[in-house]
Each structure stands twice: as C-alpha cells, then as structure tokens.
C-alpha cells in the first residue's frame, strides 16, 4: 500500500525518548511541520525506563492518532512499531540514538530532524513487513516481540549485551568495538539447530546466526544485499569464520563486495571468482519461517537491543504488518 500523508492526519502523536533526543529541537521541528500541514492536533507522550513506547502508542491510538512519530533510538522505534502492528495508523520516524537501523534501510534522513519531520508529515505511506520473534526461555516461558531489521544469536548478541551504556550514549555504534575487543578473545562457536519453513532441521557450529527483515547496518555494511523489507521473507546469515582471517573475509564482503562490487557487471564477475572461499565463512538462506534451537541458554538481540537468554527462537514474517511514512518517489 502506498499513499501520501495528508490532512487526514488530524491527530498526530509524538512518542519520544527524552534521554536520546534534543527535546527542544524536536519539539520546534514537529510544531513547525504541523503548522505547515494545518489543522493538526499534537499529542506528546514521553517514554520511561518502565514503558519504552508500546503503552504510549496504544494511548495515542485511543485518543484518535492516525500518525505516530517515534522520536528516539532503535528501541523506541521498535516499541512504537510493535504497538502499531496491523493497525491503520502510520509510523513516522524521527530517528536518533546509535543505529537508526530502519531509517537507513528505508532511505530516511536520520541526521536532520527537520528533514525527518518533513517526510513524516508530507511523505508517502508504505506498507512493510515486520519480523515476529517468539522466544522460549530456559524455564519454558514464551514471549513475543517484533523486530524491524534483524534478530541474532551468537557473538553479536553477546557484544550487544556487553556494550557499556555510557559509551553507547557518547559514541554510538563505536561502543560495540569496545565490546567486541572484550568479547572476541573469549568467544566460542555455538551449536545451532535451524529449520526453514517446513524443511528438515539442520545443525551448524556458528559464531553468529542472524535473521533479517532487511540488510543494511551502520558503518557502510551491507550484510544481506538481497534483503527487502516488503518481500514477505526473512534472510538468514550464518557466520562461521574459522580464524581472524575468516572475519577479515566477511568484513571485506559486507563492506566492499556487497556494497560496491555487486552494483556493476564487472564487479559481479569479480565476485564470482573470489566468492568461493568466503562461502564457507558466510552463507545465506531465505524463508518465511525460521526456527532456531540451542543446547543451553544463549543471549539474543532484536534490532541492536539485548533481550535476555533463550533456548529457542522462532521467527516469522507479518507481511505488510506496518504502515510507515517514507520520502516521496
């Protein structure tokens, strides 16, 4: 579904994380955009450590909001999107914080709040997929959360869990470099049993297994070049480097081959000659449903946030489950 934002957005809610944004600047930008749109009632709802955005978004919907702006980091965006799942209201992004993962994948401005407001009030509405993660804990408890970009088990989840909050606030994604330096020397391969759709269960020893709704990450990394946010499928990246040279090969692939070489016919021919060695380090699968099982509790992450430990993770697609405002054209 695609359409333009218009005067039908008479009630607009702003769900904002006061820790992650410059509140006066965001408020000024939103109020200016609302004045240009005309006839807009604004509702301001602040997140708290206990309520990260879901409850605020539900309250906004009860008050008649048809456009909900998520102003904050990836956690705020994910929480608002979870409450907007399969609803008629639309998500607008005023990204801040460390990753801005969904904004990057949708080509949205993430460094200029005024430009982001212009898109939120006057852009097109696009329906995109949501990932749905059902986590099984060691005690048998099952919980369900959505994700917009990717879910992961392995070193990535351990690094995210070990990232120092004060470094994340000051330096963004560079905080994960610090976490990686502390995590990688003690890292071990993880045995994962995985299944795609109704297929046979398989087993692999991996450093990380990532299940993605789309594939662009900060730092000019194109982890999954064929990932699309509206194809009704999840892409699985299995990382199995045998040594530090394996990590270097993966780094070259996601920052150079996937992002640059594959865009030209000559580059794709070069990849065909060099890709064989990398395939044993990084392989790709695709399906609408993905099941992961591990031998003991392991940390997992959704969109760059840690969500505790699991013994199983079942992932599915809610196709077209979220309406989001994107740039025109």
């Amino acid at each position: 579904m695609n359409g333009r934002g218009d005067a039908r957005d008479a009630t607009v809610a702003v769900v904002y994380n006061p820790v992650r944004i410059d509140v006066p600047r965001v408020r000024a930008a939103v109020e200016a955009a609302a004045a240009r749109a005309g006839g807009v009632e604004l509702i301001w709802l602040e997140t708290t450590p206990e309520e990260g955005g879901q409850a605020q978004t539900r309250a906004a919907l009860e008050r008649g909001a048809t456009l909900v702006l998520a102003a904050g980091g990836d956690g705020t965006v994910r929480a608002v999107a979870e409450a907007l799942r399969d609803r008629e209201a639309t998500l607008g992004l005023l990204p801040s914080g460390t990753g801005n993962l969904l904004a990057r994948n949708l080509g949205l401005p993430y460094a200029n709040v005024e430009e982001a407001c212009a898109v939120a009030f006057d852009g097109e509405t696009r329906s995109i997929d949501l990932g749905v993660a059902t986590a099984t804990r060691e005690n048998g408890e099952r919980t369900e959360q959505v994700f917009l970009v990717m879910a992961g088990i392995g070193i990535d989840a351990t690094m995210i869990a070990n990232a120092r909050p004060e470094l994340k606030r000051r330096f963004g994604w560079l905080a994960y470099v610090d976490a990686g330096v502390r995590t990688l020397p003690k890292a071990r391969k993880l045995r994962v049993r995985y299944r795609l759709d109704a297929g046979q269960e398989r087993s692999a020893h991996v450093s990380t297994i990532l299940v993605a709704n789309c594939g662009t990450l900060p730092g000019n990394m194109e982890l999954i070049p064929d990932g699309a946010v509206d194809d009704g499928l999840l892409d699985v990246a299995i990382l199995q480097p045998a040594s530090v040279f394996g990590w270097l090969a993966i780094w070259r692939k996601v920052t150079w081959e996937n992002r640059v070489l594959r865009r030209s016919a000559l580059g794709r021919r070069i990849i065909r000659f060099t890709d064989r060695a990398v395939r044993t380090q990084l392989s790709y699968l695709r399906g609408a449903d993905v099941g992961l099982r591990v031998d003991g509790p392991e940390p997992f992450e959704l969109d760059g946030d840690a969500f505790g430990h699991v013994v199983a993770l079942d992932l599915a697609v809610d196709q077209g489950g979220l309406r989001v405002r994107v740039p025109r054209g």
Side-chain angles (χ1 to χ4, degrees):
M1 179 194 304
N2 291 284
R4 290 188 176 178
D6 54 37
R8 287 177 298 176
D9 294 322
T11 303
V12 176
V14 186
V15 177
Y16 67 99
N17 183 337
V19 176
R20 292 297 182 90
I21 67 168
D22 181 341
V23 176
R25 182 179 177 185
V26 169
R27 184 176 289 272
V30 170
E31 289 176 349
R36 288 193 298 270
V40 174
E41 177 193 357
L42 290 174
I43 303 170
W44 293 86
L45 298 165
E46 183 177 306
T47 67
T48 67
E50 297 75 28
E51 293 290 352
Q54 292 99 331
Q56 291 85 344
T57 303
R58 290 192 292 269
L61 296 175
E62 290 173 1
R63 293 173 63 177
T66 56
L67 174 64
V68 181
L69 309 183
D74 292 318
T76 304
V77 172
R78 196 202 64 79
V80 173
E82 187 165 83
L84 289 177
R85 178 185 175 190
D86 297 325
R87 304 293 291 264
E88 289 300 315
T90 301
L91 170 68
L93 294 177
L94 306 182
S96 181
T98 55
N100 304 315
L101 296 176
L102 183 63
R104 293 171 189 270
N105 280 274
L106 292 176
L108 286 158
Y110 54 83
N112 186 304
V113 68
E114 290 79 13
E115 292 178 0
C117 279
V119 172
F121 278 89
D122 196 39
E124 294 183 351
T125 300
R126 178 182 176 189
S127 291
I128 66 170
D129 300 339
L130 283 171
V132 182
T134 303
T136 303
R137 314 289 176 168
E138 187 177 22
N139 63 2
E141 178 189 2
R142 288 166 64 87
T143 57
E144 181 181 282
Q145 288 98 11
V146 307
F147 62 98
L148 297 159
V149 178
M150 64 182 62
I153 292 179
I155 287 177
D156 68 304
T158 303
M159 288 171 56
I160 286 168
N162 289 343
R164 293 169 176 161
E166 66 277 11
L167 291 182
K168 282 186 70 175
R169 284 193 297 270
R170 291 182 62 191
F171 301 111
W173 274 71
L174 290 177
Y176 297 123
V177 175
D178 167 76
V181 168
R182 291 183 286 111
T183 299
L184 286 174
K186 299 179 286 187
R188 56 180 175 78
K189 280 262 178 36
L190 169 69
R191 180 174 176 263
V192 176
R193 302 185 303 281
Y194 63 91
R195 174 192 50 76
L196 269 71
D197 299 325
Q200 179 182 356
E201 186 175 78
R202 300 180 182 277
S203 178
H205 283 83
V206 308
S207 293
T208 286
I209 186 164
L210 296 166
V211 181
N213 190 34
C214 44
T216 299
L217 297 176
N220 291 321
M221 288 189 287
E222 194 77 31
L223 178 64
I224 301 173
D226 295 324
V229 77
D230 57 1
D231 61 0
L233 295 170
L234 296 171
D235 291 272
V236 183
I238 301 175
L239 284 72
Q240 300 171 284
S243 66
V244 66
F245 297 105
W247 282 113
L248 290 174
I250 291 172
W251 180 263
R252 185 193 70 224
K253 184 170 183 64
V254 302
T255 59
W256 173 246
E257 292 183 6
N258 287 354
R259 193 163 187 87
V260 180
L261 287 185
R262 71 187 303 271
R263 295 183 178 180
S264 69
L266 174 61
R268 289 191 291 274
R269 286 200 294 271
I270 294 171
I271 289 173
R272 283 199 293 271
F273 283 110
T274 61
D275 202 39
R276 186 172 300 173
V278 183
R279 272 184 225 148
T280 61
Q281 323 281 340
L282 171 61
S283 54
Y284 295 115
L285 301 168
R286 177 174 286 175
D289 294 281
V290 180
L292 306 177
R293 302 291 183 271
V294 290
D295 294 335
E298 294 287 343
F300 82 107
E301 56 94 1
L302 300 175
D303 292 347
D305 284 329
F307 277 82
H309 290 67
V310 294
V311 295
L313 195 60
D314 293 292
L315 306 119
V317 177
D318 183 357
Q319 187 168 10
L322 180 68
R323 294 159 51 94
V324 63
R325 202 58 57 80
V326 299
R328 293 185 182 183

